[in-house]
Amino acid sequence: MRLKQHSVLPGFGITLGYTFVYLSLIVLVPLSSLFLKTATLTWSQFWGTISDPRVVASYKLTIGASFIGACINAVFGLIVAWTLVRYEFPGKKIVDALVDLPFALPTAVSGIALTAVYAKNGWIGRYLEPLGIHAAFSPLGVTIALTFIGLPFVVRTLQPALEDLDPQIEEAAASLGARHIQTFIRVILPALLPALLTGFALSFARALGEYGSVVFISGNMPMKTEISALLIIMKLEEFNYAGATAIAVVMLVASFVILLAVNLLQWWVARRFGKGG
Amino acid sequence: MVKWTLISITLAFLGVFLLVPLAAVMTEALRKGLGAYFNGLQDPAAVSAIKLTLLTSLIAVPANLVFGLAASWAIAKFEFLGKSLLITLIDLPFAVSPVISGLIFVELFGLQGLFGHWLSDHNIRIIFAVPGIVLATIFVTFPFVAREMIPLMQEQGSEEEQAALSLGANGFQMFRRVTLPNVKWALLYGVILCNARAMGEFGAVSVVSGHVRGQTNTMPLHIEILYNEYNFVAAFAVASLLAVLALVTLVLKSIVEWRIHREIEASKA
């Protein structure tokens, strides 16, 4: 194969050259500095930082809360996407646009807004408090924030998949005597599974790295409600660049593994279901 | 039965989960009346934060717009080796945590960073100064324009451009008269999303800013400082501006989506 196929259009050299230079300067060189910095650490320095109990506690909270948030989003995201694709109701367009609010709202604004709502005297927090549920300044608060920012990923991945799903298949299942639940589990869910898993993984990966919407509602108590991204900031404030870098590498590898898993999954699904139609 | 149950769940979930926090921003901002609200916004530190946010977005968005145009032209109109790798690399910043997006620039330009000594010898400040904020913002908003343009331009192919060239247009005329009108809505869509993120970015900017009041505070950082000082009314007042920006973004986005949808329908007919 030749490096470039012939074309009559102009501008290939300059646009590709510019793309490559800009990409290198803004993304590739800065990102590689992280790995260069890691290479200067000794193994015991690196391991000492990433296995520190306080850091390990932050992984547990970050991964656990992100996972639960992604699960909640998978369930409610499916209901929201289904409603938006299949049903007509007044105000549907506004509801559809509103789904992207967590994308559009700056994370710091989401953070203080969620804290105000779920605090002891907040609009929702005041009803949870008598039940003994402390929403703000607890792992639950972290989960709420991570669910909030992940919701659009699930809904927006599911919507096109739902639009491709033919309602006649459900009708056929129903006419053959299947109940709603049976139709859902046997017919709808398998067809939506790839999109649902992709949305779940995107929501999960986004939550792992999230910072702004969490730091206000979490309360940042050591060993209890500190997320990993916050520990990076704290190491930086102590001018401990090596420590910050070590935690960053762990987080970066974790999110790359998740995104790689998504790509493999899509490839597997395309191969298994794609050709048969 | 099922239909109305699911619609009710959807509306209740989105209402409690999305609308309530949005309403809380506005209520908290106006808790002590309009006077306190406008005091919060007219404070010199707030004004300077608003200016810095606008400046940052005014640099970051055009920079990524030019890049998006160049990248989508090269990727969509030509076949070359390593193209899918290039597309993956362009999406890379979305996979990086905001905090890490800031950290990488500290490792390059901070005092202990790779170029730290050279920069301090020459009295150039990037970290804890405006250039660092702009760089981190460009990084986190990097893919927005390109990723909207590439699929659309790939779908459109290059027949119209080839026709323009064979009719005697030069490269610039072809671009301005044929390519740009074809992609203008996708371009606008990318710019709207890019701008919303550029003005609202918090984590990455927080790492490189140094939080100097009146100098290196953007609006989200100013909100954090006010909030941590328990100056809630002023914090929510500045937050309300960003919430309005988010709502305007959603409205514009819906309008542009509708236009794109209409053009696709029209091109099919």
Side-chain angles (χ1 to χ4, degrees), chain A residues 105-122:
Chain A
L105 202 63
T107 53
V109 180
S110 314
I112 62 170
L114 290 171
T115 313
V117 169
Y118 290 96
K120 267 203 298 239
N121 53 357

Side-chain angles (χ1 to χ4, degrees), chain A residues 1-5 7-12 14-16 18-20 22-23 25-38 72-73 76-77 79-84 87-90 93 95-118 123-124 137 143-145 147-149 151 156 180 205-206 208-213 215-216 229-230 232-233 236-237 239-242 244-245 247-249 251-252 255-256 259 263, chain B residues 2-4 6-7 9-11 13-25 27-28 31 60 63-64 66-67 69-75 77-81 86 88-90 92-100 102-108 110-115 127-128 135 138-139 142 158 161-162 165 170-171 174 189 196-197 199-203 206-207 211 220-221 223-224 227-228 235-236 238-240 242-247 249-251 253-254 257-258:
Chain A
M1 183 179 168
R2 288 174 52 193
L3 280 178
K4 174 195 171 260
Q5 287 173 18
S7 166
V8 294
L9 295 182
F12 176 72
I14 186 163
T15 53
L16 188 69
Y18 183 75
T19 301
F20 193 72
Y22 188 79
L23 176 72
L25 287 180
I26 300 290
V27 179
L28 301 181
V29 172
L31 264 182
S32 57
S33 75
L34 191 68
F35 292 94
L36 278 179
K37 182 79 188 179
T38 316
I72 297 171
N73 280 331
F76 284 97
I79 295 174
V80 171
W82 180 271
T83 309
L84 289 175
Y87 305 138
E88 291 302 324
F89 55 92
K93 284 213 168 116
V95 175
D96 194 15
L98 193 70
V99 168
D100 278 325
L101 184 72
F103 275 159
L105 202 63
T107 53
V109 180
S110 314
I112 62 170
L114 290 171
T115 313
V117 169
Y118 290 96
W123 288 347
I124 297 179
F137 315 124
T143 312
I144 291 171
T147 311
F148 179 85
I149 52 123
L151 179 71
R156 294 301 181 226
H180 280 309
R206 166 74 203 261
L208 285 183
E210 179 56 21
Y211 174 69
S213 55
V215 283
F216 297 99
L230 174 78
I232 295 182
I233 297 239
L236 275 176
E237 280 170 358
F239 297 102
N240 180 357
Y241 285 32
T245 308
I247 303 173
V249 166
M251 283 178 64
L252 207 55
S255 59
F256 284 166
L259 293 173
N263 283 327
Chain B
V2 176
K3 175 182 169 179
W4 290 107
L6 291 179
I7 292 178
I9 295 176
T10 296
L11 294 180
F13 179 72
L14 295 182
V16 169
F17 214 60
L18 303 183
L19 273 188
V20 167
L22 189 63
V25 174
T27 315
E28 293 289 330
R31 185 170 287 266
N64 286 334
V66 171
F67 162 74
L69 278 172
S72 54
W73 180 259
I75 289 171
K77 304 290 181 181
F78 300 92
E79 290 305 320
F80 56 93
L81 206 61
L86 184 60
T88 310
L89 289 178
I90 288 175
L92 206 54
F94 279 166
V96 177
S97 162
V99 171
I100 298 176
L103 173 68
I104 56 179
F105 289 101
V106 175
E107 312 226 300
L108 275 184
L111 259 186
Q112 298 179 42
L114 285 176
F115 302 113
I127 298 306
F128 303 150
L135 272 174
I138 291 179
F139 179 93
F142 184 86
S158 51
E161 277 88 356
Q162 285 172 7
L165 289 177
N170 64 33
M174 170 211 67
Y189 192 81
R197 180 73 193 264
M199 289 194 170
E201 179 53 27
F202 177 68
S206 169
V207 172
H211 308 276
L221 297 177
I223 293 173
E224 184 193 24
Y227 191 86
N228 288 340
F236 279 100
V238 180
S240 74
L242 288 175
V244 169
L245 170 77
L247 290 177
T249 300
L250 290 183
V251 171
K253 189 172 160 291
S254 301
E257 268 166 12
W258 176 72

Side-chain angles (χ1 to χ4, degrees), chain A residues 2 9 11 62 68 76 137 147 157-158 183 221 224 242 253 276:
Chain A
R2 288 174 52 193
L9 295 182
T62 309
I68 295 170
F76 284 97
F137 315 124
T147 311
T157 340
L158 274 172
T183 313
M221 289 168 278
K224 281 187 190 146
V253 168

